[in-house]
Amino acid sequence: MAVEIPCRGAASAKAVATKLRERLKSHALDPMLVAELERHRNDPYFALALAQEILPHELKAMINRAYGAGLPPSARPSQRDVAVQERFVTMLSELLGTASRGVGALRLPGGYADQLVDGIESPQDAFAVKGLLGDGTFDHAFLLTVVRKLHDKDVAHPPDPSLPRDTWTMPGATDASLGDLSPMGTALVALAHHPAVAQDFFTDPQRKPLDYLMRRHPWGGDADGDLGWAIEVASTEFRDHDLPVGGSRGYKSALIASWAVRFWSDPKVQANLPGTRAHVGKVLAHYIGDVHRAARAFSEEVSGVMADRDPDKNLRGEEPYGALLDASGVKAAMTWAFADEGAFQHVVATHGMYATKMLDEVAGKIEAEVRADFEEWRKSHPQATARQLDAARQDILEERMSRRGAEFAQAAQSLSRTTWLISDAANISGIEEAKEKDARFAIFRQMVESVVGLAPGPQGAFVGFMVDGAKETIFGQTRSDNEDRARRDADTALGLAKHMFADLTAAVMMRHGLFGDGSSPSATHPHRHEDFSPGSAGYFMANGEIVPWHDMTAAQRRAYEDWLTLNPTGRVFKETNQSTALGFKESEANYARQGS
C-alpha cells in the first residue's frame, strides 16, 4: 500500500515519471530530463514518490529502453554514446538509495525487494538491477534483504558461462563488456560500498555465501575483482576489541579474513578468482600480526577468531580481534597473490611497520628499566660526581643489555621467520632466485633500505591501520642516488634481512638512548669517535636518530657499518645476523618438511 507523500514531492515525481515514459517510447533520453532528476538527488520526498510512481518492473524496463532494448543491435548506442544513459542510471541508483532510507510511514512499499529481484535470471533485468544497486547509499536492512534474495536466486539458478548469449536480448551498449550478469554479480559493487552489509551477508550461518561465491560460483568479466573488493572491506573496515563477540563488527572482520585467506590458499579458488590478488595482499597486510603469529609458531589453525583479551602479546596495548591463520595456507595464498606487485608491496611494507613497532617496544622497555635503575642508584649516591654518574649509567645500561638484549635477538629471530615466509612466497628467499634484476627482489630491497624511517605507531593501534601509510613511506618517496653502492652480501633476501634487523635494532636502540649518552660520549656511542661525530663526512645521524640507509651518502654508509662492527659497540649491541639466519633456517626446514 502506498504511503502519502507531501504534495510537492509527489507532484514533481509524477511529472518526471510522465516525461520519462513519453521520451522512452522512442528509446530517447533527454539530457535536460536527466538534469531535472539530478536536481532532486537530495530530496527524500521526491525519491520515495518516484519509487512509488515507477515500480521496479517498469523501472528496470525504462533503463533497458534507454539503451535501446528491443531494437536490433545495429540501432542501439555504442559505448562512447551512452554518457546520458549512465547519468540516468546513476541518478536512479542514488534516488533508490535515498528512498530505501526512509523512516516511519515514509518507507518503500512492502515487497519492493521481491519486485526488484523478480526476473533477475534475464540479462536485461540483471543489467538494470546492477545499475540500480551500483551507486546509491542504501538502508542496511533493505540492501541486506535484496542481496540475500539475489543469493538465493543465484543458488537456485546457478550461472552457466557456456551458454551462448543472444545479441538481440543482451542489454546495454552494443560494444560494451557487460561483465557478470548472474544474480550475485549484480550486488558485488553495492556490497563493497556497504561494508557492514557485506559483513552480515558473508557471515550468514545458513547460507555460508563465502564458500559459494569463492569456491563454486563462476565469474565473468571483472566480477571476481569486485568480490575481492567486497571481501577486503568486510574484513578491514571495522576493527575493535572492546565489544562483546555478538555485537562486534571487529569480530566479524576477523572471521571473514580467516575464512577468506583459507579459501584463497586453494588452487581451485585461485583459478576462479584471478582478479583478487591485490585484495589478498591488502587483507594479509591488515592482519600482519596474525600472519606473524602463524609464521612464528608454524601453526596449523582451524579458521576462526583470535578472541583472547590480548590477541597480540608481542605488542603493548590491546589490539583488535585477530584472525586465526594456518601458516601453510598463508604461504600458499601469498605465493599466488604475489604475482601482483601491489599485493607484495602492501605485505612487505606492513611487515616492516610491524617489525619496527615490535623492536621499538622492546627498546622502550629496556630504556624504562635503565632509567629507573639509574635514578635509584643516583639517589643512593648523592655525592657522586658527573663522571661517576656517567659511568654508573653506562654500567647499568650494559648490564641490562646483556640480560635483556637477548630480547632483541628473539624478536629478530621470530620476525625473520615471517620475513622468510614473505620472501619465499615471492620466490626471492634462495640465493639463486634473489637477483637484483628481479622486480620483487627490488621491492624487498627498497623496504629494507627504508624501514628505519617508519614511525612505530601508537600503542593499541593495530599496525594494519597504517598499511597505506607504510606503503607510501617506503615506495612513494624519491630514491637516493646511492642505489648502485649495494651492501656486501645484499644480493640475497637473507643478506638483506640480516641488514634490515641490524638496522632496526640499532635505530630503535639509538632512539631510546641504549647506546649511552652522546653528550659525554660513552664507549658504545658513535660520538666517542671523531669520525662518527657531528661535522664529520661520515656522521650518520640526524636529530639524534640514525639516518635510513637509503638516505646515507657513501661516506655515511661506510662509517655506519664500521661503527656497527666495533668491539665496544658490541657491549650493548648484539649482532642480530645469527638470529636472523637461524629464523630463516627454521622456516625453510619447517616448510620443506611440509612439502611446500
Side-chain angles (χ1 to χ4, degrees):
M1 179 177 176
V3 299
E4 186 174 343
I5 308 295
C7 294
R8 187 176 61 179
S12 298
K14 188 174 183 63
V16 170
T18 300
K19 293 176 185 178
L20 284 172
R21 292 183 181 109
E22 186 64 30
R23 292 293 296 167
L24 288 171
K25 285 180 181 178
S26 59
H27 302 275
L29 194 60
D30 186 350
M32 297 301 293
L33 184 53
V34 175
E36 185 174 345
L37 264 181
E38 291 169 335
R39 285 194 292 272
H40 292 281
R41 69 184 338 131
N42 297 317
D43 184 346
Y45 299 114
F46 176 88
L48 187 58
L50 189 70
Q52 293 188 170
E53 179 69 31
I54 308 176
L55 294 178
H57 179 75
E58 184 183 9
L59 188 64
K60 291 182 286 185
M62 279 186 172
I63 291 173
N64 281 290
R65 286 188 69 80
Y67 282 88
L71 299 176
S74 60
R76 289 178 6 218
S78 64
Q79 192 171 5
R80 66 182 180 182
D81 297 322
V82 292
V84 176
Q85 287 89 333
E86 289 175 353
R87 283 174 52 200
F88 175 58
V89 175
T90 296
M91 198 62 251
L92 290 178
S93 178
E94 292 185 16
L95 288 169
L96 181 57
T98 300
S100 75
R101 303 196 306 274
V103 295
L106 297 177
R107 299 184 66 85
L108 286 171
Y112 193 96
D114 289 301
Q115 296 177 52
L116 191 64
V117 304
D118 184 48
I120 195 70
E121 297 83 5
S122 77
Q124 292 89 352
D125 274 45
F127 174 77
V129 170
K130 192 173 188 177
L132 285 170
L133 297 179
D135 293 288
T137 301
F138 292 92
D139 171 72
H140 182 103
F142 172 79
L143 182 58
L144 182 59
T145 298
V146 170
V147 174
R148 284 173 172 167
K149 290 180 182 296
L150 289 170
H151 170 272
D152 295 345
K153 291 270 190 179
D154 206 304
V155 172
H157 304 282
D160 186 350
S162 66
L163 293 177
R165 289 184 170 183
D166 183 355
T167 56
W168 275 81
T169 61
M170 294 310 294
T174 55
D175 57 346
S177 174
L178 298 174
D180 192 288
L181 293 179
S182 64
M184 274 308 303
T186 68
L188 297 179
V189 172
L191 287 173
H193 289 164
H194 297 77
V197 177
Q199 281 198 334
D200 291 347
F201 173 61
F202 289 144
T203 56
D204 186 322
Q206 279 75 45
R207 291 175 173 83
K208 299 180 180 179
L210 271 182
D211 176 88
Y212 174 68
L213 298 176
M214 296 183 75
R215 300 175 68 184
R216 293 180 283 136
H217 190 298
W219 295 104
D222 298 326
D224 65 317
D226 292 335
L227 174 61
W229 180 18
I231 293 170
E232 177 197 327
V233 299
S235 57
T236 63
E237 185 75 14
F238 307 104
R239 304 298 303 277
D240 65 64
H241 202 157
D242 57 343
L243 297 173
V245 170
S248 169
R249 291 231 163 262
Y251 186 92
K252 286 189 174 183
S253 295
L255 184 62
I256 292 167
S258 177
W259 276 109
V261 171
R262 178 174 289 275
F263 288 142
W264 268 317
S265 69
D266 183 347
K268 292 182 179 179
V269 173
Q270 294 169 4
N272 190 41
L273 306 178
T276 63
R277 287 183 171 92
H279 303 291
V280 179
K282 283 284 192 74
V283 172
L284 290 173
H286 277 268
Y287 288 84
I288 197 68
D290 301 300
V291 171
H292 175 68
R293 184 179 60 251
R296 182 182 74 237
F298 308 118
S299 65
E300 296 183 11
E301 292 281 7
V302 175
S303 296
V305 179
M306 170 57 78
D308 290 2
R309 187 68 268 171
D310 186 3
D312 193 335
K313 297 174 179 62
N314 277 316
L315 300 182
R316 298 176 67 183
E318 189 175 286
E319 298 294 339
Y321 287 110
L324 291 175
L325 302 175
D326 175 75
S328 296
V330 168
K331 184 174 183 293
M334 278 186 182
T335 301
W336 172 74
F338 285 172
D340 180 275
E341 302 298 352
F344 183 47
Q345 284 185 341
H346 271 104
V347 174
V348 162
T350 315
H351 171 54
M353 175 70 79
Y354 186 85
T356 300
K357 188 173 177 67
M358 184 188 294
L359 291 172
D360 190 83
E361 291 187 1
V362 174
K365 286 189 290 184
I366 300 175
E367 177 189 18
E369 291 172 355
V370 169
R371 186 187 305 113
D373 287 356
F374 176 65
E375 282 302 311
E376 185 177 336
W377 189 93
R378 186 179 60 78
K379 289 177 182 178
S380 64
H381 297 77
Q383 305 302 320
T385 65
R387 171 175 279 188
Q388 288 172 328
L389 289 171
D390 289 341
R393 184 186 187 284
Q394 185 66 19
D395 287 345
I396 292 169
L397 173 63
E398 292 183 18
E399 190 278 332
R400 279 288 176 182
M401 288 305 297
S402 65
R403 183 162 22 119
R404 296 293 303 277
E407 193 168 345
F408 279 109
Q410 171 67 18
Q413 181 176 332
S414 64
L415 287 165
S416 70
R417 293 173 184 166
T418 312
T419 306
W420 184 91
L421 184 69
I422 293 170
S423 60
D424 190 69
N427 198 29
I428 61 171
S429 66
I431 293 176
E432 293 303 318
E433 292 86 358
K435 304 298 183 184
E436 286 188 78
K437 64 183 179 181
D438 183 88
R440 278 170 287 178
F441 183 77
I443 290 171
F444 185 73
R445 178 178 169 183
Q446 196 167 342
M447 185 272 284
V448 168
E449 295 184 355
S450 307
V451 72
V452 168
L454 291 172
Q459 291 182 16
F462 190 66
V463 72
F465 288 151
M466 297 174 272
V467 170
D468 291 327
K471 184 172 179 284
E472 181 179 354
T473 298
I474 291 177
F475 302 110
Q477 58 194 320
T478 303
R479 303 295 298 130
S480 71
D481 60 358
N482 297 304
E483 291 183 89
D484 57 328
R485 291 190 283 274
R487 284 167 149 166
R488 295 183 301 275
D489 83 338
D491 59 345
T492 69
L494 175 57
L496 280 175
K498 289 178 181 178
H499 290 298
M500 178 178 74
F501 291 115
D503 289 350
L504 273 177
T505 303
V508 298
M509 285 177 62
M510 187 66 72
R511 185 181 303 136
H512 291 278
L514 301 184
F515 284 109
D517 191 350
S519 57
S520 52
S522 57
T524 53
H525 198 280
H527 290 179
R528 184 63 175 265
H529 308 276
E530 185 177 342
D531 292 335
F532 309 146
S533 296
S536 66
Y539 187 53
F540 48 81
M541 294 175 62
N543 301 317
E545 297 199 16
I546 295 173
V547 174
W549 174 267
H550 72 80
D551 286 337
M552 290 183 185
T553 65
Q556 287 174 313
R557 291 179 174 186
R558 191 179 303 110
Y560 169 68
E561 293 206 317
D562 188 16
W563 170 71
L564 280 183
T565 57
L566 292 177
N567 291 335
T569 306
R571 288 158 62 176
V572 292
F573 182 68
K574 295 294 185 181
E575 183 62 59
T576 58
N577 287 0
Q578 289 183 347
S579 296
T580 304
L582 179 59
F584 263 63
K585 289 179 181 177
E586 288 172 340
S587 286
E588 186 174 11
N590 178 77
Y591 288 102
R593 285 195 301 272
Q594 295 181 2
S596 61

